[in-house]
PDB file of all heavy atoms in Angstrom:
ATOM      1  N   LYS L 484     -68.275  48.074 -60.113  1.00 95.00           N
ATOM      2  CA  LYS L 484     -68.409  49.537 -60.186  1.00 95.00           C
ATOM      3  C   LYS L 484     -67.029  50.183 -60.183  1.00 95.00           C
ATOM      4  O   LYS L 484     -66.763  51.121 -60.945  1.00 95.00           O
ATOM      5  CB  LYS L 484     -69.239  50.059 -59.013  1.00 95.00           C
ATOM      6  CG  LYS L 484     -69.366  51.577 -58.988  1.00 95.00           C
ATOM      7  CD  LYS L 484     -70.286  52.051 -57.878  1.00 95.00           C
ATOM      8  CE  LYS L 484     -71.732  51.829 -58.244  1.00 95.00           C
ATOM      9  NZ  LYS L 484     -72.665  52.482 -57.294  1.00 95.00           N
ATOM     10  N   ILE L 485     -66.130  49.681 -59.330  1.00 95.00           N
ATOM     11  CA  ILE L 485     -64.752  50.182 -59.307  1.00 95.00           C
ATOM     12  C   ILE L 485     -64.089  49.948 -60.656  1.00 95.00           C
ATOM     13  O   ILE L 485     -63.443  50.840 -61.222  1.00 95.00           O
ATOM     14  CB  ILE L 485     -63.949  49.489 -58.185  1.00 95.00           C
ATOM     15  CG1 ILE L 485     -64.430  49.962 -56.811  1.00 95.00           C
ATOM     16  CG2 ILE L 485     -62.451  49.745 -58.347  1.00 95.00           C
ATOM     17  CD1 ILE L 485     -63.844  49.187 -55.648  1.00 95.00           C
ATOM     18  N   GLN L 486     -64.263  48.742 -61.192  1.00 92.00           N
ATOM     19  CA  GLN L 486     -63.602  48.382 -62.449  1.00 92.00           C
ATOM     20  C   GLN L 486     -64.058  49.268 -63.603  1.00 92.00           C
ATOM     21  O   GLN L 486     -63.255  49.634 -64.465  1.00 92.00           O
ATOM     22  CB  GLN L 486     -63.881  46.914 -62.778  1.00 92.00           C
ATOM     23  CG  GLN L 486     -63.169  46.415 -64.033  1.00 92.00           C
ATOM     24  CD  GLN L 486     -63.399  44.925 -64.262  1.00 92.00           C
ATOM     25  OE1 GLN L 486     -63.772  44.189 -63.349  1.00 92.00           O
ATOM     26  NE2 GLN L 486     -63.183  44.480 -65.489  1.00 92.00           N
ATOM     27  N   PHE L 487     -65.340  49.645 -63.619  1.00 92.00           N
ATOM     28  CA  PHE L 487     -65.865  50.401 -64.754  1.00 92.00           C
ATOM     29  C   PHE L 487     -66.158  51.863 -64.417  1.00 92.00           C
ATOM     30  O   PHE L 487     -66.784  52.564 -65.210  1.00 92.00           O
ATOM     31  CB  PHE L 487     -67.108  49.702 -65.310  1.00 92.00           C
ATOM     32  CG  PHE L 487     -66.767  48.417 -66.004  1.00 92.00           C
ATOM     33  CD1 PHE L 487     -66.912  47.202 -65.351  1.00 92.00           C
ATOM     34  CD2 PHE L 487     -66.232  48.426 -67.282  1.00 92.00           C
ATOM     35  CE1 PHE L 487     -66.559  46.016 -65.970  1.00 92.00           C
ATOM     36  CE2 PHE L 487     -65.882  47.244 -67.912  1.00 92.00           C
ATOM     37  CZ  PHE L 487     -66.040  46.030 -67.263  1.00 92.00           C
ATOM     38  N   LEU L 488     -65.678  52.326 -63.265  1.00 94.00           N
ATOM     39  CA  LEU L 488     -65.775  53.745 -62.944  1.00 94.00           C
ATOM     40  C   LEU L 488     -64.970  54.540 -63.972  1.00 94.00           C
ATOM     41  O   LEU L 488     -63.973  54.052 -64.503  1.00 94.00           O
ATOM     42  CB  LEU L 488     -65.220  53.990 -61.538  1.00 94.00           C
ATOM     43  CG  LEU L 488     -65.770  55.189 -60.767  1.00 94.00           C
ATOM     44  CD1 LEU L 488     -67.201  54.931 -60.327  1.00 94.00           C
ATOM     45  CD2 LEU L 488     -64.899  55.473 -59.542  1.00 94.00           C
ATOM     46  N   THR L 489     -65.371  55.774 -64.246  1.00 94.00           N
ATOM     47  CA  THR L 489     -64.673  56.560 -65.268  1.00 94.00           C
ATOM     48  C   THR L 489     -63.400  57.220 -64.750  1.00 94.00           C
ATOM     49  O   THR L 489     -62.717  57.913 -65.505  1.00 94.00           O
ATOM     50  CB  THR L 489     -65.606  57.648 -65.829  1.00 94.00           C
ATOM     51  OG1 THR L 489     -66.093  58.450 -64.752  1.00 94.00           O
ATOM     52  CG2 THR L 489     -66.761  57.026 -66.585  1.00 94.00           C
ATOM     53  N   LYS L 490     -63.091  57.018 -63.475  1.00 95.00           N
ATOM     54  CA  LYS L 490     -61.854  57.564 -62.914  1.00 95.00           C
ATOM     55  C   LYS L 490     -60.992  56.418 -62.393  1.00 95.00           C
ATOM     56  O   LYS L 490     -61.519  55.429 -61.875  1.00 95.00           O
ATOM     57  CB  LYS L 490     -62.168  58.546 -61.781  1.00 95.00           C
ATOM     58  CG  LYS L 490     -62.920  59.784 -62.260  1.00 95.00           C
ATOM     59  CD  LYS L 490     -63.308  60.717 -61.127  1.00 95.00           C
ATOM     60  CE  LYS L 490     -64.039  61.941 -61.691  1.00 95.00           C
ATOM     61  NZ  LYS L 490     -64.469  62.877 -60.631  1.00 95.00           N
ATOM     62  N   PRO L 491     -59.669  56.536 -62.516  1.00 96.00           N
ATOM     63  CA  PRO L 491     -58.799  55.479 -61.992  1.00 96.00           C
ATOM     64  C   PRO L 491     -58.949  55.335 -60.481  1.00 96.00           C
ATOM     65  O   PRO L 491     -59.076  56.327 -59.758  1.00 96.00           O
ATOM     66  CB  PRO L 491     -57.391  55.965 -62.351  1.00 96.00           C
ATOM     67  CG  PRO L 491     -57.581  56.971 -63.436  1.00 96.00           C
ATOM     68  CD  PRO L 491     -58.904  57.606 -63.175  1.00 96.00           C
ATOM     69  N   VAL L 492     -58.939  54.091 -60.025  1.00 96.00           N
ATOM     70  CA  VAL L 492     -59.027  53.796 -58.592  1.00 96.00           C
ATOM     71  C   VAL L 492     -57.760  53.047 -58.193  1.00 96.00           C
ATOM     72  O   VAL L 492     -57.387  52.058 -58.824  1.00 96.00           O
ATOM     73  CB  VAL L 492     -60.274  52.956 -58.260  1.00 96.00           C
ATOM     74  CG1 VAL L 492     -60.362  52.713 -56.749  1.00 96.00           C
ATOM     75  CG2 VAL L 492     -61.536  53.646 -58.762  1.00 96.00           C
ATOM     76  N   VAL L 493     -57.104  53.536 -57.143  1.00 96.00           N
ATOM     77  CA  VAL L 493     -55.844  52.965 -56.672  1.00 96.00           C
ATOM     78  C   VAL L 493     -56.071  52.301 -55.324  1.00 96.00           C
ATOM     79  O   VAL L 493     -56.678  52.893 -54.427  1.00 96.00           O
ATOM     80  CB  VAL L 493     -54.762  54.055 -56.519  1.00 96.00           C
ATOM     81  CG1 VAL L 493     -53.437  53.435 -56.080  1.00 96.00           C
ATOM     82  CG2 VAL L 493     -54.583  54.826 -57.809  1.00 96.00           C
ATOM     83  N   ALA L 494     -55.568  51.088 -55.174  1.00 96.00           N
ATOM     84  CA  ALA L 494     -55.555  50.437 -53.866  1.00 96.00           C
ATOM     85  C   ALA L 494     -54.217  50.744 -53.210  1.00 96.00           C
ATOM     86  O   ALA L 494     -53.166  50.360 -53.726  1.00 96.00           O
ATOM     87  CB  ALA L 494     -55.743  48.938 -54.012  1.00 96.00           C
ATOM     88  N   ALA L 495     -54.253  51.475 -52.100  1.00 96.00           N
ATOM     89  CA  ALA L 495     -53.042  51.756 -51.322  1.00 96.00           C
ATOM     90  C   ALA L 495     -52.997  50.717 -50.207  1.00 96.00           C
ATOM     91  O   ALA L 495     -53.575  50.902 -49.131  1.00 96.00           O
ATOM     92  CB  ALA L 495     -53.085  53.170 -50.759  1.00 96.00           C
ATOM     93  N   ILE L 496     -52.327  49.610 -50.467  1.00 96.00           N
ATOM     94  CA  ILE L 496     -52.383  48.450 -49.569  1.00 96.00           C
ATOM     95  C   ILE L 496     -51.397  48.670 -48.429  1.00 96.00           C
ATOM     96  O   ILE L 496     -50.202  48.419 -48.551  1.00 96.00           O
ATOM     97  CB  ILE L 496     -52.085  47.152 -50.344  1.00 96.00           C
ATOM     98  CG1 ILE L 496     -52.997  47.056 -51.578  1.00 96.00           C
ATOM     99  CG2 ILE L 496     -52.290  45.936 -49.440  1.00 96.00           C
ATOM    100  CD1 ILE L 496     -52.679  45.886 -52.488  1.00 96.00           C
ATOM    101  N   ASN L 497     -51.925  49.148 -47.310  1.00 93.00           N
ATOM    102  CA  ASN L 497     -51.088  49.581 -46.194  1.00 93.00           C
ATOM    103  C   ASN L 497     -50.886  48.513 -45.126  1.00 93.00           C
ATOM    104  O   ASN L 497     -50.248  48.758 -44.109  1.00 93.00           O
ATOM    105  CB  ASN L 497     -51.691  50.831 -45.547  1.00 93.00           C
ATOM    106  CG  ASN L 497     -53.112  50.600 -45.060  1.00 93.00           C
ATOM    107  OD1 ASN L 497     -53.959  50.167 -45.835  1.00 93.00           O
ATOM    108  ND2 ASN L 497     -53.386  50.891 -43.793  1.00 93.00           N
ATOM    109  N   GLY L 498     -51.423  47.317 -45.337  1.00 92.00           N
ATOM    110  CA  GLY L 498     -51.278  46.233 -44.365  1.00 92.00           C
ATOM    111  C   GLY L 498     -51.846  44.965 -44.965  1.00 92.00           C
ATOM    112  O   GLY L 498     -51.791  44.768 -46.179  1.00 92.00           O
ATOM    113  N   VAL L 499     -52.429  44.102 -44.130  1.00 95.00           N
ATOM    114  CA  VAL L 499     -52.976  42.853 -44.662  1.00 95.00           C
ATOM    115  C   VAL L 499     -54.175  43.136 -45.556  1.00 95.00           C
ATOM    116  O   VAL L 499     -55.007  43.998 -45.270  1.00 95.00           O
ATOM    117  CB  VAL L 499     -53.379  41.881 -43.530  1.00 95.00           C
ATOM    118  CG1 VAL L 499     -52.158  41.382 -42.792  1.00 95.00           C
ATOM    119  CG2 VAL L 499     -54.384  42.506 -42.586  1.00 95.00           C
ATOM    120  N   ALA L 500     -54.236  42.404 -46.675  1.00 96.00           N
ATOM    121  CA  ALA L 500     -55.368  42.467 -47.602  1.00 96.00           C
ATOM    122  C   ALA L 500     -55.745  41.024 -47.892  1.00 96.00           C
ATOM    123  O   ALA L 500     -55.110  40.356 -48.713  1.00 96.00           O
ATOM    124  CB  ALA L 500     -54.990  43.205 -48.876  1.00 96.00           C
ATOM    125  N   LEU L 501     -56.751  40.536 -47.202  1.00 95.00           N
ATOM    126  CA  LEU L 501     -57.105  39.123 -47.276  1.00 95.00           C
ATOM    127  C   LEU L 501     -58.549  38.952 -47.718  1.00 95.00           C
ATOM    128  O   LEU L 501     -59.398  39.815 -47.467  1.00 95.00           O
ATOM    129  CB  LEU L 501     -56.907  38.454 -45.912  1.00 95.00           C
ATOM    130  CG  LEU L 501     -55.497  38.546 -45.311  1.00 95.00           C
ATOM    131  CD1 LEU L 501     -55.486  37.974 -43.900  1.00 95.00           C
ATOM    132  CD2 LEU L 501     -54.490  37.818 -46.195  1.00 95.00           C
ATOM    133  N   GLY L 502     -58.826  37.840 -48.376  1.00 94.00           N
ATOM    134  CA  GLY L 502     -60.190  37.521 -48.763  1.00 94.00           C
ATOM    135  C   GLY L 502     -60.838  38.637 -49.547  1.00 94.00           C
ATOM    136  O   GLY L 502     -60.336  39.090 -50.577  1.00 94.00           O
ATOM    137  N   GLY L 503     -61.988  39.116 -49.045  1.00 94.00           N
ATOM    138  CA  GLY L 503     -62.696  40.204 -49.711  1.00 94.00           C
ATOM    139  C   GLY L 503     -61.870  41.471 -49.799  1.00 94.00           C
ATOM    140  O   GLY L 503     -62.038  42.270 -50.725  1.00 94.00           O
ATOM    141  N   GLY L 504     -60.956  41.678 -48.850  1.00 95.00           N
ATOM    142  CA  GLY L 504     -60.076  42.845 -48.907  1.00 95.00           C
ATOM    143  C   GLY L 504     -59.121  42.771 -50.081  1.00 95.00           C
ATOM    144  O   GLY L 504     -58.853  43.774 -50.756  1.00 95.00           O
ATOM    145  N   PHE L 505     -58.612  41.558 -50.353  1.00 96.00           N
ATOM    146  CA  PHE L 505     -57.728  41.382 -51.502  1.00 96.00           C
ATOM    147  C   PHE L 505     -58.530  41.481 -52.797  1.00 96.00           C
ATOM    148  O   PHE L 505     -58.060  42.017 -53.802  1.00 96.00           O
ATOM    149  CB  PHE L 505     -57.015  40.036 -51.398  1.00 96.00           C
ATOM    150  CG  PHE L 505     -55.910  39.850 -52.403  1.00 96.00           C
ATOM    151  CD1 PHE L 505     -55.155  40.924 -52.859  1.00 96.00           C
ATOM    152  CD2 PHE L 505     -55.621  38.584 -52.901  1.00 96.00           C
ATOM    153  CE1 PHE L 505     -54.132  40.743 -53.784  1.00 96.00           C
ATOM    154  CE2 PHE L 505     -54.609  38.399 -53.826  1.00 96.00           C
ATOM    155  CZ  PHE L 505     -53.865  39.480 -54.269  1.00 96.00           C
ATOM    156  N   GLU L 506     -59.768  40.987 -52.777  1.00 96.00           N
ATOM    157  CA  GLU L 506     -60.622  41.105 -53.963  1.00 96.00           C
ATOM    158  C   GLU L 506     -60.939  42.570 -54.258  1.00 96.00           C
ATOM    159  O   GLU L 506     -60.999  42.984 -55.424  1.00 96.00           O
ATOM    160  CB  GLU L 506     -61.901  40.295 -53.749  1.00 96.00           C
ATOM    161  CG  GLU L 506     -61.641  38.791 -53.790  1.00 96.00           C
ATOM    162  CD  GLU L 506     -62.823  37.972 -53.306  1.00 96.00           C
ATOM    163  OE1 GLU L 506     -63.411  38.335 -52.258  1.00 96.00           O
ATOM    164  OE2 GLU L 506     -63.161  36.979 -53.961  1.00 96.00           O
ATOM    165  N   LEU L 507     -61.135  43.353 -53.208  1.00 96.00           N
ATOM    166  CA  LEU L 507     -61.327  44.795 -53.379  1.00 96.00           C
ATOM    167  C   LEU L 507     -60.098  45.411 -54.044  1.00 96.00           C
ATOM    168  O   LEU L 507     -60.216  46.197 -54.993  1.00 96.00           O
ATOM    169  CB  LEU L 507     -61.586  45.446 -52.018  1.00 96.00           C
ATOM    170  CG  LEU L 507     -61.528  46.978 -51.935  1.00 96.00           C
ATOM    171  CD1 LEU L 507     -62.556  47.614 -52.858  1.00 96.00           C
ATOM    172  CD2 LEU L 507     -61.739  47.446 -50.495  1.00 96.00           C
ATOM    173  N   ALA L 508     -58.917  45.049 -53.569  1.00 96.00           N
ATOM    174  CA  ALA L 508     -57.680  45.585 -54.144  1.00 96.00           C
ATOM    175  C   ALA L 508     -57.529  45.173 -55.606  1.00 96.00           C
ATOM    176  O   ALA L 508     -57.130  45.976 -56.456  1.00 96.00           O
ATOM    177  CB  ALA L 508     -56.479  45.118 -53.331  1.00 96.00           C
ATOM    178  N   MET L 509     -57.850  43.904 -55.913  1.00 96.00           N
ATOM    179  CA  MET L 509     -57.696  43.431 -57.294  1.00 96.00           C
ATOM    180  C   MET L 509     -58.686  44.092 -58.242  1.00 96.00           C
ATOM    181  O   MET L 509     -58.434  44.176 -59.449  1.00 96.00           O
ATOM    182  CB  MET L 509     -57.845  41.906 -57.345  1.00 96.00           C
ATOM    183  CG  MET L 509     -56.662  41.154 -56.768  1.00 96.00           C
ATOM    184  SD  MET L 509     -56.702  39.378 -57.131  1.00 96.00           S
ATOM    185  CE  MET L 509     -58.092  38.853 -56.107  1.00 96.00           C
ATOM    186  N   ALA L 510     -59.821  44.561 -57.730  1.00 96.00           N
ATOM    187  CA  ALA L 510     -60.789  45.263 -58.578  1.00 96.00           C
ATOM    188  C   ALA L 510     -60.304  46.656 -58.957  1.00 96.00           C
ATOM    189  O   ALA L 510     -60.778  47.238 -59.933  1.00 96.00           O
ATOM    190  CB  ALA L 510     -62.134  45.362 -57.862  1.00 96.00           C
ATOM    191  N   CYS L 511     -59.357  47.188 -58.187  1.00 96.00           N
ATOM    192  CA  CYS L 511     -58.826  48.530 -58.467  1.00 96.00           C
ATOM    193  C   CYS L 511     -57.919  48.494 -59.697  1.00 96.00           C
ATOM    194  O   CYS L 511     -57.399  47.452 -60.087  1.00 96.00           O
ATOM    195  CB  CYS L 511     -58.064  49.053 -57.254  1.00 96.00           C
ATOM    196  SG  CYS L 511     -59.110  49.335 -55.800  1.00 96.00           S
ATOM    197  N   ASP L 512     -57.714  49.654 -60.282  1.00 95.00           N
ATOM    198  CA  ASP L 512     -56.926  49.745 -61.514  1.00 95.00           C
ATOM    199  C   ASP L 512     -55.430  49.642 -61.256  1.00 95.00           C
ATOM    200  O   ASP L 512     -54.681  49.124 -62.077  1.00 95.00           O
ATOM    201  CB  ASP L 512     -57.226  51.078 -62.213  1.00 95.00           C
ATOM    202  CG  ASP L 512     -58.702  51.237 -62.500  1.00 95.00           C
ATOM    203  OD1 ASP L 512     -59.239  50.424 -63.267  1.00 95.00           O
ATOM    204  OD2 ASP L 512     -59.322  52.159 -61.936  1.00 95.00           O
ATOM    205  N   VAL L 513     -54.993  50.176 -60.134  1.00 96.00           N
ATOM    206  CA  VAL L 513     -53.575  50.179 -59.780  1.00 96.00           C
ATOM    207  C   VAL L 513     -53.463  49.761 -58.323  1.00 96.00           C
ATOM    208  O   VAL L 513     -54.277  50.173 -57.488  1.00 96.00           O
ATOM    209  CB  VAL L 513     -52.951  51.585 -59.974  1.00 96.00           C
ATOM    210  CG1 VAL L 513     -51.498  51.606 -59.511  1.00 96.00           C
ATOM    211  CG2 VAL L 513     -53.043  52.011 -61.436  1.00 96.00           C
ATOM    212  N   ARG L 514     -52.461  48.937 -58.019  1.00 96.00           N
ATOM    213  CA  ARG L 514     -52.236  48.496 -56.643  1.00 96.00           C
ATOM    214  C   ARG L 514     -50.814  48.860 -56.236  1.00 96.00           C
ATOM    215  O   ARG L 514     -49.843  48.385 -56.848  1.00 96.00           O
ATOM    216  CB  ARG L 514     -52.450  46.978 -56.523  1.00 96.00           C
ATOM    217  CG  ARG L 514     -53.907  46.568 -56.592  1.00 96.00           C
ATOM    218  CD  ARG L 514     -54.090  45.099 -56.903  1.00 96.00           C
ATOM    219  NE  ARG L 514     -53.642  44.776 -58.259  1.00 96.00           N
ATOM    220  CZ  ARG L 514     -54.323  45.061 -59.366  1.00 96.00           C
ATOM    221  NH1 ARG L 514     -55.506  45.648 -59.273  1.00 96.00           N
ATOM    222  NH2 ARG L 514     -53.844  44.754 -60.556  1.00 96.00           N
ATOM    223  N   ILE L 515     -50.712  49.724 -55.235  1.00 96.00           N
ATOM    224  CA  ILE L 515     -49.413  50.110 -54.682  1.00 96.00           C
ATOM    225  C   ILE L 515     -49.384  49.600 -53.247  1.00 96.00           C
ATOM    226  O   ILE L 515     -50.270  49.915 -52.447  1.00 96.00           O
ATOM    227  CB  ILE L 515     -49.213  51.635 -54.722  1.00 96.00           C
ATOM    228  CG1 ILE L 515     -49.329  52.146 -56.169  1.00 96.00           C
ATOM    229  CG2 ILE L 515     -47.857  52.017 -54.138  1.00 96.00           C
ATOM    230  CD1 ILE L 515     -49.245  53.656 -56.304  1.00 96.00           C
ATOM    231  N   ALA L 516     -48.381  48.800 -52.927  1.00 95.00           N
ATOM    232  CA  ALA L 516     -48.349  48.131 -51.626  1.00 95.00           C
ATOM    233  C   ALA L 516     -47.183  48.606 -50.779  1.00 95.00           C
ATOM    234  O   ALA L 516     -46.086  48.864 -51.281  1.00 95.00           O
ATOM    235  CB  ALA L 516     -48.261  46.618 -51.815  1.00 95.00           C
ATOM    236  N   SER L 517     -47.435  48.700 -49.483  1.00 94.00           N
ATOM    237  CA  SER L 517     -46.367  48.924 -48.517  1.00 94.00           C
ATOM    238  C   SER L 517     -45.531  47.652 -48.407  1.00 94.00           C
ATOM    239  O   SER L 517     -46.020  46.540 -48.630  1.00 94.00           O
ATOM    240  CB  SER L 517     -46.983  49.260 -47.156  1.00 94.00           C
ATOM    241  OG  SER L 517     -46.073  49.011 -46.112  1.00 94.00           O
ATOM    242  N   LYS L 518     -44.266  47.809 -48.048  1.00 93.00           N
ATOM    243  CA  LYS L 518     -43.389  46.647 -47.890  1.00 93.00           C
ATOM    244  C   LYS L 518     -43.892  45.680 -46.824  1.00 93.00           C
ATOM    245  O   LYS L 518     -43.564  44.492 -46.853  1.00 93.00           O
ATOM    246  CB  LYS L 518     -41.968  47.104 -47.541  1.00 93.00           C
ATOM    247  CG  LYS L 518     -41.156  47.562 -48.736  1.00 93.00           C
ATOM    248  CD  LYS L 518     -39.712  47.826 -48.343  1.00 93.00           C
ATOM    249  CE  LYS L 518     -38.873  48.160 -49.578  1.00 93.00           C
ATOM    250  NZ  LYS L 518     -37.460  48.423 -49.222  1.00 93.00           N
TER     251      LYS L 518
END
Side-chain angles (χ1 to χ4, degrees):
K484 177 175 284 190
I485 290 171
Q486 183 176 341
F487 290 99
L488 207 71
T489 56
K490 295 176 179 179
V492 182
V493 182
I496 308 174
N497 58 306
V499 292
L501 303 174
F505 190 32
E506 289 168 315
L507 168 60
M509 287 192 290
C511 294
D512 303 297
V513 176
R514 287 162 293 284
I515 302 176
S517 159
K518 280 187 175 180

